[in-house]
Amino acid sequence: MLNILVVEDDEKLRKLFAAVLTRHGYRAVLAENGEEALAILDREFISLVISDIMMPKMDGYQLTKSLRDAGSDLPVLMITAKEDFEDKQKGFLVGTDDYMVKPIDVNEMLLRVGALLRRARIVTERKVVCGETTLNYDALTVWCDGEEVLLPQKEFYLLYKLVSYPNKIFTRQQLMDEIWGMDSDTDERTVDVHVNRIRERFKGCPDFKIVTVRGLGYKAVRCPQGGEGE
Amino acid sequence: MLNILVVEDDEKLRKLFAAVLTRHGYRAVLAENGEEALAILDREFISLVISDIMMPKMDGYQLTKSLRDAGSDLPVLMITAKEDFEDKQKGFLVGTDDYMVKPIDVNEMLLRVGALLRRARIVTERKVVCGETTLNYDALTVWCDGEEVLLPQKEFYLLYKLVSYPNKIFTRQQLMDEIWGMDSDTDERTVDVHVNRIRERFKGCPDFKIVTVRGLGYKAVRCPQGGEGE
DNA sequence: AGAAGGGTTTACACTTTGTTTACATTTATG
DNA sequence: CATAAATGTAAACAAAGTGTAAACCCTTCT
């Protein structure tokens, strides 16, 4: 499922967009301004941002600029009012990928979202390769040892996160925030259980291992491969 | 060899596209505007059109419209500048199949060309083969296991869609949008019921399987066959 | 060694999601 | 017009995924 972050201060619009996106198989994540958006981006895997320009606290330009400055190439679809439009260079100079002028036609929005996602997917195939093993984010599958396994969502996202940043230690809290969402009231121990399930499932896989870092959390390590001797 | 018609008034771009396409095994046919393009289409067998929107004499919208009015469903990949987008209805309503926003990334272009051709082939051949099984779009029939079965529309289209893109996961919503239409108010669960009917009907068929991806949707997988090769 | 503080494992309960069935409604067909 | 076929709806049912808790097992530190 693709997560789309909608950054819009007008509640009505926000809800409208969310409804439309949800209806078309995306998951909409909502923020009222750029600050909130950045916080969310920090902890959730977002595939595309739809952002208004005029907003309190942090506007769309600033938001996009922050993203680009941080080296992200997340696609951004900007929403402008006609009035804002005068300084249209501004928007694109900071790295917007596309824009729409209010009033928004939701079908147009869907088309643009589709086109941007297609492009983004082309540029960044969402796969992680680790030795002979490949994780396919879109299919929730792991190709390992000659067969493709379909994982449950939580397990997959957890594994994907860990394997995407090999050797990086994640605290349980970080993992919870990212995969369960900030406002989940699930117990931290649950992470352990899922790690256990993943370990069980891939105990035969020679390419990676999930290592416990006592007192801190977990990390994935790539295992050096046996073209060499044992 | 597939012929691709490039309609672009900027000579530099035209040559760039031609070079890239040629290098990847297509034959590029060039036109400077819509009028020229139509003339060429009249006398050459073209598989796909890549057209700029803004051009002298006849623009991309008009070209596409002429094509569609003449009953052609040739795939058209439109190239737009961001500014063209103002009169948004225009582009998509006349039947563009996909679009790219300038500046064009040629790799992206190739991928989109590939995708469109693939889709077009499915559309024009109007049948999909999967192992020993053949789906015939025009007759709504499935040749499987030595006999031809006529399916009800919904069941057929659903199956056809899934089998046309093996391994690709479709959300219920995507399938609804495609087969029932965007503004259908039919319940998503209905998809399940049809999937169930299809499964029941083809439980003996060894060539494909419809797999549930919990929390996401459905996908078709081709079953590796004993003995047979590719 | 023994206690304390993690971490792991297991079993189970609960929730969410998908499947199946029966039936009502609509649409095609003779 | 009658009948059958196709489709949609609803409800009962089944299963997978997920979370909780408790028991167990290490490591570390005094």
Side-chain angles (χ1 to χ4, degrees):
Chain A
M1 163 109 45
L2 296 168
N3 297 323
I4 297 186
L5 177 59
V6 176
V7 195
E8 165 65 61
D9 57 325
D10 177 348
E11 188 181 350
K12 269 218 213 96
L13 274 181
R14 207 165 56 226
K15 292 212 166 142
L16 169 67
F17 296 162
V20 171
L21 291 169
T22 305
R23 191 168 139 60
H24 288 267
Y26 304 108
R27 190 168 84 88
V29 181
L30 306 179
E32 291 189 26
N33 57 60
E35 271 185 15
E36 261 187 57
L38 282 179
I40 291 171
L41 285 162
D42 224 32
R43 59 172 202 264
E44 295 217 38
F45 192 108
I46 299 290
S47 299
L48 181 144
V49 177
I50 300 177
S51 172
D52 200 350
I53 289 195
M54 296 301 272
M55 287 177 302
K57 298 217 178 172
M58 180 187 266
D59 69 24
Y61 292 129
Q62 295 170 296
L63 171 61
T64 314
K65 184 151 188 330
S66 304
L67 277 174
R68 299 301 178 237
D69 287 351
S72 166
D73 52 3
L74 197 59
V76 176
L77 173 53
M78 201 72 101
I79 297 171
T80 79
K82 268 240 171 56
E83 304 81 61
D84 304 342
F85 210 33
E86 312 313 65
D87 40 15
K88 67 179 166 199
Q89 303 103 341
K90 215 177 162 188
F92 299 111
L93 291 180
V94 258
T96 297
D97 296 285
D98 197 1
Y99 69 86
M100 301 183 292
V101 178
K102 287 185 188 176
I104 303 299
D105 173 275
V106 290
N107 287 315
E108 184 200 342
M109 180 175 84
L110 286 168
L111 285 166
R112 290 183 190 241
V113 165
L116 285 177
L117 285 175
R118 248 174 286 144
R119 186 167 68 185
R121 185 162 318 178
I122 284 164
V123 175
T124 45
E125 269 261 313
R126 304 207 296 169
K127 287 189 180 162
V128 173
V129 180
C130 175
E132 301 291 290
T133 302
T134 303
L135 311 197
N136 185 336
Y137 190 90
D138 297 304
L140 254 43
T141 53
V142 180
W143 180 267
C144 173
D145 221 13
E147 55 180 350
E148 190 160 48
V149 206
L150 181 64
L151 298 209
Q153 300 192 41
K154 289 285 193 293
E155 275 175 56
F156 183 87
Y157 293 135
L158 190 50
L159 180 60
Y160 189 86
K161 181 76 187 169
L162 290 167
V163 173
S164 298
Y165 303 90
N167 296 318
K168 177 168 161 56
I169 300 170
F170 292 94
T171 64
R172 291 179 177 70
Q173 195 54 56
Q174 286 173 320
L175 295 167
M176 289 288 309
D177 287 351
E178 169 126 1
I179 293 157
W180 277 257
M182 286 296 250
D183 38 338
S184 155
D185 51 358
T186 303
D187 196 276
E188 273 193 9
R189 291 290 120 204
T190 298
V191 174
D192 300 22
V193 176
H194 279 96
V195 165
N196 183 39
R197 284 171 183 152
I198 295 170
R199 281 171 172 163
E200 175 62 23
R201 203 187 282 274
F202 293 102
K203 63 184 168 206
C205 172
D207 293 315
F208 63 84
K209 231 179 0 187
I210 298 182
V211 175
T212 308
V213 183
R214 194 160 228 268
L216 285 177
Y218 295 100
K219 67 177 178 180
V221 298
R222 285 155 183 264
C223 303
Q225 258 329 263
E228 348 307 315
E230 295 297 287
Chain B
M1 163 108 48
L2 294 168
N3 296 324
I4 297 185
L5 176 58
V6 176
V7 194
E8 165 65 63
D9 58 325
D10 177 348
E11 187 181 350
K12 269 218 216 98
L13 273 182
R14 206 165 57 225
K15 294 213 163 140
L16 169 67
F17 295 162
V20 171
L21 291 168
T22 305
R23 184 148 19 95
H24 284 83
Y26 302 107
R27 191 169 82 87
V29 182
L30 305 179
E32 290 190 29
N33 57 58
E35 269 185 20
E36 261 187 58
L38 281 179
I40 292 171
L41 283 163
D42 229 28
R43 60 171 199 265
E44 295 217 39
F45 184 88
I46 299 291
S47 298
L48 180 143
V49 177
I50 301 177
S51 171
D52 200 350
I53 288 196
M54 295 303 273
M55 288 177 304
K57 299 219 178 171
M58 181 188 266
D59 69 24
Y61 292 129
Q62 296 170 297
L63 171 60
T64 313
K65 185 153 187 327
S66 304
L67 279 172
R68 298 297 178 240
D69 287 351
S72 164
D73 52 3
L74 197 58
V76 176
L77 173 52
M78 200 74 99
I79 297 171
T80 78
K82 285 209 172 82
E83 300 77 53
D84 300 343
F85 247 129
E86 301 317 81
D87 38 13
K88 55 203 173 194
Q89 303 107 341
K90 247 177 153 180
F92 299 108
L93 293 181
V94 256
T96 297
D97 298 283
D98 197 1
Y99 72 89
M100 302 183 292
V101 179
K102 288 183 186 175
I104 304 299
D105 174 277
V106 290
N107 288 314
E108 184 195 335
M109 181 177 82
L110 284 168
L111 287 160
R112 287 185 191 237
V113 165
L116 284 178
L117 284 174
R118 186 184 137 70
R119 191 167 79 192
R121 194 170 49 81
I122 288 169
V123 170
T124 52
E125 285 185 1
R126 309 210 138 218
K127 60 171 97 134
V128 172
V129 180
C130 175
E132 301 292 289
T133 302
T134 302
L135 311 198
N136 184 334
Y137 192 89
D138 295 308
L140 298 188
T141 55
V142 180
W143 179 268
C144 172
D145 222 12
E147 54 180 350
E148 189 158 49
V149 206
L150 176 65
L151 299 208
Q153 294 190 47
K154 290 287 193 288
E155 274 175 57
F156 183 87
Y157 293 136
L158 190 51
L159 181 60
Y160 191 82
K161 180 78 188 168
L162 290 167
V163 173
S164 297
Y165 301 90
N167 294 320
K168 177 168 163 56
I169 299 173
F170 292 92
T171 63
R172 291 181 177 70
Q173 195 54 56
Q174 287 173 320
L175 295 166
M176 291 287 309
D177 286 350
E178 187 111 349
I179 294 158
W180 277 258
M182 290 287 252
D183 39 340
S184 155
D185 53 356
T186 303
D187 196 275
E188 275 192 6
R189 292 290 121 206
T190 298
V191 175
D192 300 23
V193 175
H194 280 95
V195 165
N196 184 38
R197 284 170 183 153
I198 295 169
R199 279 172 173 163
E200 177 61 25
R201 204 187 281 275
F202 293 101
K203 63 183 168 208
C205 172
D207 293 316
F208 63 84
K209 227 178 7 186
I210 298 183
V211 175
T212 307
V213 183
R214 195 161 232 263
L216 286 178
Y218 294 100
K219 66 177 176 179
V221 298
R222 286 157 182 264
C223 303
Q225 266 321 272
E228 263 58 49
E230 292 285 301

